[in-house]
Amino acid sequence: MNSVSPSAAQYIGGVMQDELVDSRRQQPPERQNSFGPRLPQTLDASREAIREPDEMDKLKAKMMSAWNNVKYGWTVKSKTSFNKISPVTVLGHSYLLNSEDEVERFSLAFVSRIWLTYRRDFPQLEGSTWTTDCGWGCMLRSGQMLLAQGLLVHLMPRDWAWPDAQQLTDVDFEVFRPRSPARAGGVPIPSFGSPRSSNTPEKSLSGSQASRCSQKKRPESAKDRQAEPIHHKLVTWFGDQPLAPFGLHQLVEIGKGSGKKAGDWYGPCIVAHILRKAVAKTSVAQNLAVYVAQDCTVYREDVVRLCDLSLSQTVPDPSSQAWKSVIILVPVRLGGEALNPSYIECVKNILKLDCCIGIIGGKPKHSLYFIGFQDEQLLYLDPHYCQPMIDVTQVNFSLESFHCSSPKKMPFNRMDPSCTIGFYAKNKKDFESLCSAVSMALSSSKEKYPIFTFVEGQGQDYGLEGHSSNHSGPAAHILPPGKLGRSDNRSNSDEFVFL
């Protein structure tokens, strides 16, 4: 990873310039500073505390933003290849792409996921000159997509599909009968489809052809259409506006509690805690809580105390719902410097679960949101595409840029070992089923020790601010001496994130 983040470079230049100007003026330090005549001590200290950007800072920020906008504002037209023999798994659902109907079901399932990418020209982030997150906000965007999926499951009808998904008729993938067990998935850059010539091989069926052929056959679901106002409202919560509860402005503001600021890179563990805080401080996501596992351990009693509303009621209210729905986020490390191949089968089994809402991680320096797999390739949504800000306060704003028509794949062995896995349970019964199903999936690992565990009892609440602190609580995993190196890496959730 680069040793200096964009925001650090943004301020270094400004400070050096200020010192140069001061030395040339040769004014007594008590009478002059880099912003003009000496201010009263209290005002000067306040300005120093917030590091008010000067013109040099603004120029540097604009140049960096312009470069990132160019870098992430174009796409390479490519098709990702899927085979007809192996099923494609997407968040607990399986699709065997050997018929037009199955290809259409897969296309609808993929396009219906909410896609959140880099944006530009949004209101300036407080305390900085940034009006874009290009180049540094990819993990925050991946975290937004993970939370958005949890909210979709929480608020929308079961197996909901976006009724207008067929607007994106040219889905950029093709289906073929493989000659070998696996085939590369194409260039991992998302792009919206465009009309193409019909030069598809005879044995392949493109996603666009399947969608067009089956448009006439699939009746629109009344429940899906009735849920569209909720869909619109949900997307507004992630808008790039200062008041959007899960928008970039709010997430960056919450991240300041852990020493992060606009322009810094964020890891999957820090983002998990930011999402927890964001949900806790807003009332828009009713009857929903977020729990973040500690030291690769989900403490069941902590989840019960968070979700069981009857525990906080002095007099039980029969009309109130007794249990909050919960999103469980588990920061883990799946190896040392690279992914341990022994964990691949376990990750596959987790993505097969209905309760799984995805994984945020990626490859080194490149965050992605994983939602499924086929054979030895992960299926993902990529936030590294810069789009103009959409004003979500406008009535009937377009949803097209919040849905992706280009499924992309990458080999498991390119996955960075640092990631956060997400799950959702609607009620207490679902939570018990989740614990059982996930524990079974975790037992499929060839490693002696599972990726994470469920245990009874309570853990120590580290919170968002505790990632840089040392805690004396009991370790979740006691490893033999030969594996102490990996245990040390795991014990500090913030240290092992290099995305």
Side-chain angles (χ1 to χ4, degrees):
M1 178 176 233
N2 294 353
S3 58
V4 180
S5 71
S7 62
Q10 178 182 353
Y11 286 104
I12 289 172
V15 173
M16 292 176 64
Q17 179 71 10
D18 294 341
E19 293 175 352
L20 181 61
V21 171
D22 286 346
S23 64
R24 287 179 177 174
R25 288 177 179 169
Q26 297 180 349
Q27 295 283 350
E30 66 274 8
R31 299 297 303 166
Q32 193 76 23
N33 66 15
S34 58
F35 296 106
R38 181 73 175 177
L39 299 174
Q41 185 173 359
T42 55
L43 292 177
D44 189 50
S46 174
R47 175 167 287 181
E48 178 64 24
I50 63 173
R51 296 182 68 109
E52 181 177 317
D54 61 9
E55 292 303 318
M56 181 65 72
D57 295 334
K58 294 177 181 178
L59 178 61
K60 288 180 177 292
K62 287 181 179 179
M63 292 176 64
M64 186 170 293
S65 296
W67 163 248
N68 283 324
N69 289 342
V70 171
K71 181 178 180 181
Y72 298 108
W74 62 283
T75 62
V76 174
K77 297 295 181 182
S78 64
K79 283 191 177 181
T80 299
S81 298
F82 293 85
N83 71 62
K84 297 181 179 181
I85 298 176
S86 303
V88 181
T89 296
V90 180
L91 298 178
H93 296 271
S94 182
Y95 308 90
L96 190 60
L97 307 181
N98 57 4
S99 69
E100 291 179 3
D101 287 344
E102 279 292 281
V103 172
E104 185 212 10
R105 285 182 61 239
F106 166 67
S107 300
L108 283 175
F110 180 83
V111 174
S112 296
R113 299 314 103 211
I114 291 178
W115 183 42
L116 298 162
T117 71
Y118 288 153
R119 297 280 176 171
R120 63 178 184 271
D121 303 325
F122 52 66
Q124 186 170 300
L125 293 166
E126 186 177 351
S128 77
T129 59
W130 293 102
T131 58
T132 178
D133 61 320
C134 284
W136 58 270
C138 57
M139 186 60 77
L140 289 174
R141 297 298 186 182
S142 296
Q144 284 180 319
M145 287 189 273
L146 180 71
L147 178 58
Q149 176 60 25
L151 289 168
L152 282 178
V153 178
H154 181 62
L155 297 173
M156 306 298 277
R158 184 175 177 83
D159 296 330
W160 169 85
W162 182 32
D164 298 324
Q166 293 172 350
Q167 292 176 358
L168 307 178
T169 53
D170 190 18
V171 183
D172 281 343
F173 70 91
E174 62 181 3
V175 182
F176 70 103
R177 186 173 298 277
R179 296 179 181 176
S180 58
R183 176 174 164 178
V187 181
I189 300 177
S191 62
F192 285 103
S194 60
R196 297 175 182 274
S197 59
S198 56
N199 56 358
T200 310
E202 185 178 355
K203 289 188 177 181
S204 71
L205 177 68
S206 71
S208 59
Q209 289 172 331
S211 296
R212 283 193 288 266
C213 291
S214 50
Q215 274 182 20
K216 302 177 183 178
K217 295 187 296 183
R218 183 184 185 273
E220 183 179 293
S221 167
K223 288 195 301 182
D224 291 348
R225 179 58 65 183
Q226 290 167 4
E228 272 307 277
I230 303 175
H231 178 204
H232 251 86
K233 175 63 71 174
L234 193 156
V235 171
T236 66
W237 296 342
F238 294 89
D240 295 302
Q241 305 280 354
L243 298 181
F246 310 127
L248 191 77
H249 293 72
Q250 286 290 328
L251 301 187
V252 169
E253 187 64 28
I254 294 170
K256 291 178 181 178
S258 63
K260 295 291 185 180
K261 59 182 179 295
D264 286 349
W265 283 288
Y266 295 71
C269 181
I270 289 292
V271 168
H273 284 277
I274 290 175
L275 296 179
R276 175 179 64 84
K277 292 262 187 176
V279 171
K281 71 179 291 191
T282 184
S283 60
V284 299
Q286 296 182 354
N287 198 41
L288 178 68
V290 175
Y291 170 83
V292 180
Q294 301 171 27
D295 297 322
C296 304
T297 305
V298 176
Y299 293 93
R300 294 169 62 117
E301 187 175 334
D302 283 344
V303 178
V304 171
R305 293 169 69 90
L306 180 66
C307 298
D308 193 343
L309 300 178
S310 64
L311 297 177
S312 60
Q313 295 176 347
T314 53
V315 179
D317 182 3
S319 63
S320 67
Q321 292 180 299
W323 184 273
K324 274 188 175 183
S325 301
V326 63
I327 291 174
I328 298 174
L329 303 178
V330 188
V332 296
R333 185 167 183 87
L334 308 177
E337 292 300 314
L339 177 72
N340 185 337
S342 301
Y343 289 128
I344 292 178
E345 195 63 32
C346 184
V347 173
K348 288 182 179 181
N349 288 333
I350 287 173
L351 289 169
K352 290 178 182 178
L353 299 175
D354 283 334
C355 60
C356 180
I357 58 173
I359 301 173
I360 57 173
K363 49 189 177 182
K365 306 179 187 177
H366 194 92
S367 174
L368 301 169
Y369 170 47
F370 298 114
I371 60 172
F373 68 94
Q374 185 182 45
D375 295 326
E376 302 307 310
Q377 305 243 325
L378 283 156
L379 182 69
Y380 64 86
L381 286 165
D382 192 345
H384 296 85
Y385 178 53
C386 188
Q387 304 185 83
M389 184 205 76
I390 297 295
D391 186 358
V392 297
T393 63
Q394 297 296 315
V395 179
N396 295 326
F397 63 90
S398 173
L399 289 168
E400 183 173 313
S401 68
F402 295 97
H403 293 273
C404 180
S405 65
S406 300
K408 297 297 177 184
K409 297 194 296 183
M410 71 170 228
F412 269 96
N413 59 20
R414 292 179 60 192
M415 179 183 180
D416 192 282
S418 299
C419 59
T420 289
I421 307 172
F423 304 95
Y424 171 82
K426 193 169 190 67
N427 49 46
K428 187 173 184 178
K429 181 179 179 182
D430 284 352
F431 173 64
E432 296 296 335
S433 298
L434 182 155
C435 294
S436 175
V438 175
S439 296
M440 187 173 296
L442 293 172
S443 66
S444 65
S445 171
K446 297 178 182 178
E447 282 287 297
K448 182 178 180 181
Y449 299 98
I451 295 174
F452 64 95
T453 57
F454 291 86
V455 300
E456 301 294 339
Q458 297 176 261
Q460 184 174 352
D461 185 11
Y462 294 174
L464 182 59
E465 297 79 11
H467 288 289
S468 59
S469 306
N470 293 321
H471 303 277
S472 57
H477 298 275
I478 302 175
L479 301 183
K483 298 196 176 184
L484 284 178
R486 190 168 69 189
S487 177
D488 290 341
N489 286 339
R490 275 180 146 179
S491 64
N492 190 325
S493 301
D494 194 29
E495 288 296 321
F496 66 55
V497 176
F498 302 104
L499 296 180

